[in-house]
């Protein structure tokens, strides 16, 4: 299995999340299945439809991570975006304190 760096997974290996209003919500097939199950559970339990906000807010390619960081810096809020290549949206995420 090929391992990709954070934000460098080809979109062709991911799936578009069905039922989204935006066209830029990509997840791995397994994660997408879990997302759809969660979405159905929330709707059935609380009558609320949850969405992934537009703007590569599921999987985020590296170029979009750079854009997000630059926008946060321009707004004077650099802490609001991860350093590119470390985003929890990049498909590879190591939590602080992990080996």
């Amino acid at each position: 299995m090929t391992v990709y760096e954070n934000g460098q997974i080809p979109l062709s290996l991911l799936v578009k999340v069905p039922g989204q209003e935006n066209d830029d919500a990509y997840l791995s097939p397994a994660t997408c299945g879990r997302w759809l199950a969660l979405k159905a559970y929330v709707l059935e339990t609380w009558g609320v439809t949850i969405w992934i906000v537009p703007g590569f807010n599921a999987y985020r390619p590296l170029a979009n991570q750079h854009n997000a960081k630059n926008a946060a810096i321009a707004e004077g809020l650099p802490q609001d975006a991860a350093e590119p290549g470390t985003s929890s949206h990049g498909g590879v995420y190591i939590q602080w304190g992990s080996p």
Side-chain angles (χ1 to χ4, degrees), residues 39-59:
K39 186 173 182 172
Y41 174 78
V42 169
L43 180 61
E44 181 180 318
T45 304
W46 292 287
V48 175
T49 300
I50 57 175
W51 300 95
I52 298 171
V53 177
F56 280 102
N57 285 307
Y59 172 73

PDB file of all heavy atoms in Angstrom, residues 39-59:
ATOM      1  N   LYS A  39     -24.310  10.816   9.895  1.00  0.00           N
ATOM      2  CA  LYS A  39     -25.303  11.768   9.401  1.00  0.00           C
ATOM      3  C   LYS A  39     -26.717  11.187   9.531  1.00  0.00           C
ATOM      4  O   LYS A  39     -27.646  11.876   9.973  1.00  0.00           O
ATOM      5  CB  LYS A  39     -24.981  12.112   7.943  1.00  0.00           C
ATOM      6  CG  LYS A  39     -25.842  13.182   7.358  1.00  0.00           C
ATOM      7  CD  LYS A  39     -25.338  13.576   5.964  1.00  0.00           C
ATOM      8  CE  LYS A  39     -26.174  14.694   5.407  1.00  0.00           C
ATOM      9  NZ  LYS A  39     -25.626  15.228   4.177  1.00  0.00           N
ATOM     10  N   ALA A  40     -26.884   9.912   9.165  1.00  0.00           N
ATOM     11  CA  ALA A  40     -28.190   9.256   9.284  1.00  0.00           C
ATOM     12  C   ALA A  40     -28.624   9.141  10.737  1.00  0.00           C
ATOM     13  O   ALA A  40     -29.791   9.367  11.075  1.00  0.00           O
ATOM     14  CB  ALA A  40     -28.138   7.882   8.626  1.00  0.00           C
ATOM     15  N   TYR A  41     -27.672   8.816  11.613  1.00  0.00           N
ATOM     16  CA  TYR A  41     -27.980   8.691  13.046  1.00  0.00           C
ATOM     17  C   TYR A  41     -28.452  10.024  13.630  1.00  0.00           C
ATOM     18  O   TYR A  41     -29.437  10.084  14.361  1.00  0.00           O
ATOM     19  CB  TYR A  41     -26.748   8.179  13.798  1.00  0.00           C
ATOM     20  CG  TYR A  41     -26.940   8.162  15.295  1.00  0.00           C
ATOM     21  CD1 TYR A  41     -27.671   7.151  15.908  1.00  0.00           C
ATOM     22  CD2 TYR A  41     -26.410   9.172  16.084  1.00  0.00           C
ATOM     23  CE1 TYR A  41     -27.860   7.144  17.283  1.00  0.00           C
ATOM     24  CE2 TYR A  41     -26.592   9.173  17.459  1.00  0.00           C
ATOM     25  CZ  TYR A  41     -27.316   8.154  18.058  1.00  0.00           C
ATOM     26  OH  TYR A  41     -27.514   8.156  19.418  1.00  0.00           O
ATOM     27  N   VAL A  42     -27.747  11.094  13.304  1.00  0.00           N
ATOM     28  CA  VAL A  42     -28.110  12.411  13.825  1.00  0.00           C
ATOM     29  C   VAL A  42     -29.493  12.817  13.312  1.00  0.00           C
ATOM     30  O   VAL A  42     -30.320  13.327  14.069  1.00  0.00           O
ATOM     31  CB  VAL A  42     -27.038  13.468  13.458  1.00  0.00           C
ATOM     32  CG1 VAL A  42     -27.511  14.871  13.760  1.00  0.00           C
ATOM     33  CG2 VAL A  42     -25.743  13.171  14.200  1.00  0.00           C
ATOM     34  N   LEU A  43     -29.765  12.555  12.037  1.00  0.00           N
ATOM     35  CA  LEU A  43     -31.071  12.893  11.481  1.00  0.00           C
ATOM     36  C   LEU A  43     -32.177  12.091  12.161  1.00  0.00           C
ATOM     37  O   LEU A  43     -33.209  12.646  12.573  1.00  0.00           O
ATOM     38  CB  LEU A  43     -31.091  12.650   9.977  1.00  0.00           C
ATOM     39  CG  LEU A  43     -32.416  12.960   9.268  1.00  0.00           C
ATOM     40  CD1 LEU A  43     -32.790  14.426   9.435  1.00  0.00           C
ATOM     41  CD2 LEU A  43     -32.323  12.583   7.799  1.00  0.00           C
ATOM     42  N   GLU A  44     -31.962  10.788  12.324  1.00  0.00           N
ATOM     43  CA  GLU A  44     -32.970   9.931  12.949  1.00  0.00           C
ATOM     44  C   GLU A  44     -33.174  10.269  14.427  1.00  0.00           C
ATOM     45  O   GLU A  44     -34.292  10.292  14.926  1.00  0.00           O
ATOM     46  CB  GLU A  44     -32.554   8.464  12.817  1.00  0.00           C
ATOM     47  CG  GLU A  44     -33.548   7.493  13.416  1.00  0.00           C
ATOM     48  CD  GLU A  44     -33.100   6.053  13.262  1.00  0.00           C
ATOM     49  OE1 GLU A  44     -32.593   5.700  12.183  1.00  0.00           O
ATOM     50  OE2 GLU A  44     -33.247   5.296  14.231  1.00  0.00           O
ATOM     51  N   THR A  45     -32.087  10.558  15.123  1.00  0.00           N
ATOM     52  CA  THR A  45     -32.158  10.789  16.564  1.00  0.00           C
ATOM     53  C   THR A  45     -32.657  12.181  16.922  1.00  0.00           C
ATOM     54  O   THR A  45     -33.470  12.341  17.830  1.00  0.00           O
ATOM     55  CB  THR A  45     -30.770  10.552  17.200  1.00  0.00           C
ATOM     56  OG1 THR A  45     -30.347   9.226  16.861  1.00  0.00           O
ATOM     57  CG2 THR A  45     -30.818  10.705  18.704  1.00  0.00           C
ATOM     58  N   TRP A  46     -32.168  13.191  16.229  1.00  0.00           N
ATOM     59  CA  TRP A  46     -32.481  14.573  16.592  1.00  0.00           C
ATOM     60  C   TRP A  46     -33.216  15.360  15.510  1.00  0.00           C
ATOM     61  O   TRP A  46     -33.534  16.525  15.705  1.00  0.00           O
ATOM     62  CB  TRP A  46     -31.213  15.325  16.995  1.00  0.00           C
ATOM     63  CG  TRP A  46     -30.641  14.804  18.273  1.00  0.00           C
ATOM     64  CD1 TRP A  46     -31.151  14.986  19.531  1.00  0.00           C
ATOM     65  CD2 TRP A  46     -29.475  14.009  18.434  1.00  0.00           C
ATOM     66  NE1 TRP A  46     -30.360  14.340  20.453  1.00  0.00           N
ATOM     67  CE2 TRP A  46     -29.317  13.728  19.814  1.00  0.00           C
ATOM     68  CE3 TRP A  46     -28.541  13.481  17.555  1.00  0.00           C
ATOM     69  CZ2 TRP A  46     -28.285  12.967  20.315  1.00  0.00           C
ATOM     70  CZ3 TRP A  46     -27.494  12.715  18.061  1.00  0.00           C
ATOM     71  CH2 TRP A  46     -27.387  12.471  19.425  1.00  0.00           C
ATOM     72  N   GLY A  47     -33.404  14.758  14.344  1.00  0.00           N
ATOM     73  CA  GLY A  47     -34.105  15.458  13.273  1.00  0.00           C
ATOM     74  C   GLY A  47     -33.310  16.589  12.656  1.00  0.00           C
ATOM     75  O   GLY A  47     -33.875  17.522  12.094  1.00  0.00           O
ATOM     76  N   VAL A  48     -31.998  16.489  12.743  1.00  0.00           N
ATOM     77  CA  VAL A  48     -31.104  17.537  12.239  1.00  0.00           C
ATOM     78  C   VAL A  48     -30.217  16.944  11.148  1.00  0.00           C
ATOM     79  O   VAL A  48     -29.670  15.854  11.306  1.00  0.00           O
ATOM     80  CB  VAL A  48     -30.218  18.093  13.384  1.00  0.00           C
ATOM     81  CG1 VAL A  48     -29.203  19.079  12.856  1.00  0.00           C
ATOM     82  CG2 VAL A  48     -31.070  18.718  14.468  1.00  0.00           C
ATOM     83  N   THR A  49     -30.083  17.673  10.037  1.00  0.00           N
ATOM     84  CA  THR A  49     -29.177  17.241   8.973  1.00  0.00           C
ATOM     85  C   THR A  49     -27.843  17.959   9.158  1.00  0.00           C
ATOM     86  O   THR A  49     -27.818  19.189   9.229  1.00  0.00           O
ATOM     87  CB  THR A  49     -29.757  17.565   7.590  1.00  0.00           C
ATOM     88  OG1 THR A  49     -31.005  16.887   7.454  1.00  0.00           O
ATOM     89  CG2 THR A  49     -28.816  17.121   6.483  1.00  0.00           C
ATOM     90  N   ILE A  50     -26.778  17.190   9.263  1.00  0.00           N
ATOM     91  CA  ILE A  50     -25.447  17.780   9.384  1.00  0.00           C
ATOM     92  C   ILE A  50     -24.770  17.778   8.017  1.00  0.00           C
ATOM     93  O   ILE A  50     -25.049  16.925   7.177  1.00  0.00           O
ATOM     94  CB  ILE A  50     -24.590  17.055  10.450  1.00  0.00           C
ATOM     95  CG1 ILE A  50     -24.455  15.565  10.152  1.00  0.00           C
ATOM     96  CG2 ILE A  50     -25.177  17.282  11.838  1.00  0.00           C
ATOM     97  CD1 ILE A  50     -23.530  14.809  11.091  1.00  0.00           C
ATOM     98  N   TRP A  51     -23.892  18.750   7.815  1.00  0.00           N
ATOM     99  CA  TRP A  51     -23.206  18.935   6.541  1.00  0.00           C
ATOM    100  C   TRP A  51     -21.717  19.161   6.776  1.00  0.00           C
ATOM    101  O   TRP A  51     -21.321  19.631   7.833  1.00  0.00           O
ATOM    102  CB  TRP A  51     -23.744  20.166   5.805  1.00  0.00           C
ATOM    103  CG  TRP A  51     -25.192  20.092   5.484  1.00  0.00           C
ATOM    104  CD1 TRP A  51     -26.214  20.621   6.237  1.00  0.00           C
ATOM    105  CD2 TRP A  51     -25.799  19.452   4.378  1.00  0.00           C
ATOM    106  NE1 TRP A  51     -27.415  20.343   5.645  1.00  0.00           N
ATOM    107  CE2 TRP A  51     -27.190  19.623   4.492  1.00  0.00           C
ATOM    108  CE3 TRP A  51     -25.298  18.743   3.291  1.00  0.00           C
ATOM    109  CZ2 TRP A  51     -28.079  19.116   3.562  1.00  0.00           C
ATOM    110  CZ3 TRP A  51     -26.199  18.249   2.365  1.00  0.00           C
ATOM    111  CH2 TRP A  51     -27.567  18.432   2.506  1.00  0.00           C
ATOM    112  N   ILE A  52     -20.958  18.908   5.752  1.00  0.00           N
ATOM    113  CA  ILE A  52     -19.556  19.316   5.733  1.00  0.00           C
ATOM    114  C   ILE A  52     -19.540  20.689   5.069  1.00  0.00           C
ATOM    115  O   ILE A  52     -20.042  20.854   3.955  1.00  0.00           O
ATOM    116  CB  ILE A  52     -18.683  18.313   4.957  1.00  0.00           C
ATOM    117  CG1 ILE A  52     -18.728  16.946   5.649  1.00  0.00           C
ATOM    118  CG2 ILE A  52     -17.255  18.842   4.830  1.00  0.00           C
ATOM    119  CD1 ILE A  52     -18.085  15.827   4.862  1.00  0.00           C
ATOM    120  N   VAL A  53     -19.003  21.667   5.758  1.00  0.00           N
ATOM    121  CA  VAL A  53     -18.981  23.041   5.258  1.00  0.00           C
ATOM    122  C   VAL A  53     -18.154  23.099   3.970  1.00  0.00           C
ATOM    123  O   VAL A  53     -17.103  22.460   3.872  1.00  0.00           O
ATOM    124  CB  VAL A  53     -18.385  23.977   6.342  1.00  0.00           C
ATOM    125  CG1 VAL A  53     -18.282  25.398   5.841  1.00  0.00           C
ATOM    126  CG2 VAL A  53     -19.222  23.910   7.603  1.00  0.00           C
ATOM    127  N   PRO A  54     -18.593  23.858   2.954  1.00  0.00           N
ATOM    128  CA  PRO A  54     -17.834  23.972   1.710  1.00  0.00           C
ATOM    129  C   PRO A  54     -16.417  24.495   1.926  1.00  0.00           C
ATOM    130  O   PRO A  54     -16.140  25.186   2.895  1.00  0.00           O
ATOM    131  CB  PRO A  54     -18.657  24.981   0.890  1.00  0.00           C
ATOM    132  CG  PRO A  54     -20.030  24.897   1.440  1.00  0.00           C
ATOM    133  CD  PRO A  54     -19.856  24.606   2.912  1.00  0.00           C
ATOM    134  N   GLY A  55     -15.540  24.148   0.990  1.00  0.00           N
ATOM    135  CA  GLY A  55     -14.180  24.669   1.014  1.00  0.00           C
ATOM    136  C   GLY A  55     -13.132  23.659   1.431  1.00  0.00           C
ATOM    137  O   GLY A  55     -12.246  23.967   2.206  1.00  0.00           O
ATOM    138  N   PHE A  56     -13.205  22.434   0.942  1.00  0.00           N
ATOM    139  CA  PHE A  56     -12.259  21.378   1.303  1.00  0.00           C
ATOM    140  C   PHE A  56     -12.164  21.241   2.818  1.00  0.00           C
ATOM    141  O   PHE A  56     -11.091  21.277   3.403  1.00  0.00           O
ATOM    142  CB  PHE A  56     -10.887  21.604   0.674  1.00  0.00           C
ATOM    143  CG  PHE A  56     -10.831  21.164  -0.765  1.00  0.00           C
ATOM    144  CD1 PHE A  56     -10.904  22.072  -1.790  1.00  0.00           C
ATOM    145  CD2 PHE A  56     -10.722  19.818  -1.080  1.00  0.00           C
ATOM    146  CE1 PHE A  56     -10.863  21.672  -3.110  1.00  0.00           C
ATOM    147  CE2 PHE A  56     -10.683  19.400  -2.404  1.00  0.00           C
ATOM    148  CZ  PHE A  56     -10.751  20.332  -3.428  1.00  0.00           C
ATOM    149  N   ASN A  57     -13.296  21.081   3.468  1.00  0.00           N
ATOM    150  CA  ASN A  57     -13.337  20.918   4.913  1.00  0.00           C
ATOM    151  C   ASN A  57     -13.555  19.475   5.337  1.00  0.00           C
ATOM    152  O   ASN A  57     -13.856  19.205   6.492  1.00  0.00           O
ATOM    153  CB  ASN A  57     -14.404  21.832   5.518  1.00  0.00           C
ATOM    154  CG  ASN A  57     -13.910  23.251   5.535  1.00  0.00           C
ATOM    155  OD1 ASN A  57     -12.831  23.528   6.048  1.00  0.00           O
ATOM    156  ND2 ASN A  57     -14.661  24.159   4.942  1.00  0.00           N
ATOM    157  N   ALA A  58     -13.398  18.559   4.404  1.00  0.00           N
ATOM    158  CA  ALA A  58     -13.305  17.136   4.742  1.00  0.00           C
ATOM    159  C   ALA A  58     -11.823  16.817   4.532  1.00  0.00           C
ATOM    160  O   ALA A  58     -11.016  17.108   5.395  1.00  0.00           O
ATOM    161  CB  ALA A  58     -14.229  16.312   3.857  1.00  0.00           C
ATOM    162  N   TYR A  59     -11.463  16.292   3.364  1.00  0.00           N
ATOM    163  CA  TYR A  59     -10.048  16.161   3.013  1.00  0.00           C
ATOM    164  C   TYR A  59      -9.585  17.498   2.459  1.00  0.00           C
ATOM    165  O   TYR A  59     -10.313  18.155   1.715  1.00  0.00           O
ATOM    166  CB  TYR A  59      -9.852  15.057   1.966  1.00  0.00           C
ATOM    167  CG  TYR A  59      -8.451  15.017   1.419  1.00  0.00           C
ATOM    168  CD1 TYR A  59      -7.421  14.535   2.213  1.00  0.00           C
ATOM    169  CD2 TYR A  59      -8.153  15.509   0.167  1.00  0.00           C
ATOM    170  CE1 TYR A  59      -6.119  14.535   1.749  1.00  0.00           C
ATOM    171  CE2 TYR A  59      -6.855  15.505  -0.312  1.00  0.00           C
ATOM    172  CZ  TYR A  59      -5.843  15.015   0.481  1.00  0.00           C
ATOM    173  OH  TYR A  59      -4.558  15.015   0.026  1.00  0.00           O
TER     174      TYR A  59
END
